[in-house]
Amino acid sequence: MTPISTENKRKIDVEKIRKDFPALHTSVEGRPLVYLDNAATSQKPLSVIEATREYYINQNANVHRGVHYLSRIATTLFEETREKAHRFLNSRSPNEIIFTKGCTEAINLVAYSYGRAFLKPGDEILLTNMEHHSNIVPWQLVAEATGAKIRVIPINDCGELLLDEFEKMLSERTKIVGCVYISNVLGTINPIKEITKKAHEVGAVVLVDGAQSTPHLRVDVQDLDVDFYTVSGHKMYAPTGVGVLYGKLDLLEKMIPYQGGGDMIRTVSFEKTTYKEPPHKFEAGTPNIAGVVAMGSAIDYIENLGMDAIQAYENELSIYAHERIAEVPGIRVIGTAKEKAGLVSFVMDCAHAHDIGTILDSEGIAVRAGHHCCMPLMERFGISATARASLAFYNTKEEIDILIKGLYKVREIFK
């Protein structure tokens, strides 16, 4: 499991926190909801919900366009979130923070704006065997357009990257390394700093998919030295449809625009268009303003709890979940890496993952069942699907006990 930092000694008061999340008090067929599908999306605290409401009631206007009062207010709130994201990720400048719809759009942006501009036939893109589809398909599209080639970094049976193989694959042909920080299926925490160092030695740039890591680990993009890092807002207690792309400014300045129109232009004529500097060059059209403003509230909420306290509590929960699930007969956990985050994917010898998910739902327990948008990873383990319980700081050991009781019910029905 991930080492627990001792920097922040604050403790998570889970009962107090749960009062901030209205959806956690939902009943499912008369049973209290046990929400263990946080890797798919997290629940939202009242402060985030209220920020969205407040924007539409009192602040609604477009940003960067008007000189009137509401537009100035909306623009200020919008840019305040950029400042918060800049501090949260420890980027060098707010200009390295681009708002997107989420990780998928952020990865597509890099693949299009960097990949299409700088890749050529024979260049190689290295991806890991544990990437989800959103960090595979955009690179396939770029490879088809440029003649570049995708190579896959293998993993072992525990779900850990084979770093020796990765080093052997690196060469002067390697131009991009795309790697998930925390696998959404295996829970593996990849050694991003080490991977980045090795990739940079051959001149490659590194994109890290941070969808699962940002809500659970302290992220310092300067310390990691990654070139691009993506954030999914809805997985870190913010609304859906909003996220962040961090990119080193010197790379962003060289990249072509991803989309055209709206506030990304400087001048337009029918003969030629000039563009603004990053980040605005990559923010075409009217953005999800309410979502961005509310994402700022989500960052505030996380920072008020303290990321070290969150990580310590979630590690404790994760250890407990793994110990309890191991007690259930006929279960095989998929993903047993030494460095692992708070999620457990598993299969049962008596039931398909979808049947597990359906029976657990009848008990009020929400887990994810399926291939988790990771079909190549499923193939690597010779399975079609897993059931996945993924944790957040508002979950409790009592909820894990309810999950275990539900798994015994699955065995009782299918044995």
Side-chain angles (χ1 to χ4, degrees):
M1 296 298 171
T2 306
I4 298 172
S5 169
T6 56
E7 177 190 345
N8 191 327
K9 298 294 186 183
R10 281 182 285 176
K11 300 290 185 183
I12 293 292
D13 184 345
V14 67
E15 293 307 321
K16 181 174 182 292
I17 287 170
R18 289 178 67 85
K19 294 176 182 175
D20 293 335
F21 290 82
L24 297 180
H25 306 289
T26 301
S27 292
V28 181
E29 298 182 7
R31 301 173 187 274
L33 170 69
V34 175
Y35 189 78
L36 300 173
D37 194 19
N38 296 289
T41 195
S42 61
Q43 298 302 335
K44 319 307 175 195
L46 284 166
S47 59
V48 168
I49 297 168
E50 182 58 31
T52 308
R53 179 179 177 275
E54 174 68 13
Y55 169 76
Y56 281 120
I57 290 179
N58 294 316
Q59 301 149 355
N60 180 48
N62 215 325
V63 293
H64 301 140
R65 287 165 172 78
V67 295
H68 60 78
Y69 174 76
L70 283 184
S71 182
R72 285 187 280 115
I73 293 291
T75 300
T76 297
L77 293 169
F78 189 83
E79 292 302 325
E80 282 179 354
T81 297
R82 199 185 309 276
E83 288 283 344
K84 291 176 183 178
H86 152 58
R87 293 196 305 270
F88 189 59
L89 299 176
N90 194 31
S91 64
R92 294 165 187 80
S93 160
N95 293 335
E96 296 179 316
I97 301 297
I98 299 164
F99 293 124
T100 68
K101 290 190 292 187
C103 280
T104 298
E105 185 178 60
I107 295 169
N108 273 276
L109 192 162
V110 176
Y112 182 92
S113 296
Y114 184 88
R116 292 189 183 230
F118 295 104
L119 291 177
K120 61 183 186 304
D123 288 344
E124 294 182 350
I125 304 164
L126 302 190
L127 305 175
T128 81
N129 203 171
M130 65 180 80
E131 300 308 313
H132 71 139
H133 300 164
S134 291
N135 202 23
I136 298 174
V137 179
W139 300 112
Q140 288 175 331
L141 293 171
V142 169
E144 290 169 3
T146 63
K149 178 182 176 183
I150 292 175
R151 300 183 69 194
V152 181
I153 307 165
I155 61 176
N156 62 23
D157 290 340
C158 295
E160 297 166 325
L161 285 177
L162 296 178
L163 293 176
D164 290 346
E165 294 300 317
F166 167 60
E167 289 188 44
K168 291 176 186 174
M169 295 168 73
L170 289 170
S171 74
E172 71 279 1
R173 295 186 300 277
T174 310
K175 301 303 178 187
I176 294 172
V177 175
C179 183
V180 66
Y181 200 159
I182 295 179
S183 164
N184 67 319
V185 174
L186 307 169
T188 304
I189 302 174
N190 285 314
I192 295 301
K193 195 169 181 177
E194 180 179 354
I195 289 168
T196 301
K197 182 174 183 296
K198 295 293 182 184
H200 284 171
E201 287 174 358
V202 297
V205 300
V206 177
L207 177 142
V208 172
D209 175 357
Q212 301 296 338
S213 50
T214 313
H216 306 293
L217 299 178
R218 182 178 296 282
V219 174
D220 183 333
V221 293
Q222 290 192 65
D223 181 59
L224 294 172
D225 199 25
V226 297
D227 300 288
F228 301 102
Y229 184 93
T230 68
V231 175
S232 175
H234 72 98
K235 289 170 181 168
M236 53 174 284
Y237 316 101
T240 57
V242 65
V244 165
L245 168 67
Y246 156 79
K248 287 182 177 174
L249 192 57
D250 62 327
L251 295 177
L252 295 176
E253 288 171 342
K254 296 174 185 174
M255 289 161 55
I256 59 176
Y258 177 49
Q259 296 177 324
D263 198 47
M264 51 80 71
I265 62 96
R266 187 182 301 280
T267 62
V268 175
S269 69
F270 282 106
E271 290 73 33
K272 182 178 175 59
T273 296
T274 60
Y275 309 111
K276 289 185 175 176
E277 297 298 318
H280 303 295
K281 182 169 73 173
F282 300 102
E283 294 179 352
T286 297
N288 180 359
I289 303 167
V292 168
V293 172
M295 185 165 61
S297 293
I299 292 172
D300 291 340
Y301 193 92
I302 291 172
E303 290 186 328
N304 285 337
L305 291 180
M307 188 55 79
D308 292 333
I310 291 171
Q311 187 177 346
Y313 179 73
E314 291 181 349
N315 270 348
E316 181 182 334
L317 271 187
S318 179
I319 291 169
Y320 185 73
H322 280 80
E323 289 175 346
R324 292 299 325 272
I325 282 181
E327 298 170 3
V328 182
I331 275 190
R332 177 164 69 103
V333 173
I334 307 298
T336 54
K338 183 179 179 183
E339 294 294 325
K340 188 172 177 181
L343 68 83
V344 190
S345 280
F346 56 92
V347 294
M348 297 182 76
D349 59 359
C350 63
H352 188 274
H354 288 162
D355 293 321
I356 298 170
T358 301
I359 292 170
L360 291 179
D361 177 58
S362 71
E363 299 294 309
I365 306 162
V367 299
R368 182 75 172 263
H371 54 61
H372 312 293
C373 299
C374 286
M375 294 177 77
L377 182 58
M378 295 292 118
E379 185 176 355
R380 163 63 180 78
F381 282 93
I383 54 179
S384 61
T386 73
R388 181 189 69 190
S390 50
L391 307 171
F393 53 67
Y394 46 59
N395 290 126
T396 66
K397 290 182 180 179
E398 289 74 21
E399 289 182 313
I400 293 169
D401 292 339
I402 295 171
L403 168 67
I404 302 304
K405 188 177 177 182
L407 293 176
Y408 274 103
K409 182 172 183 179
V410 173
R411 284 202 62 79
E412 182 182 338
I413 292 173
F414 284 95
K415 70 180 180 182

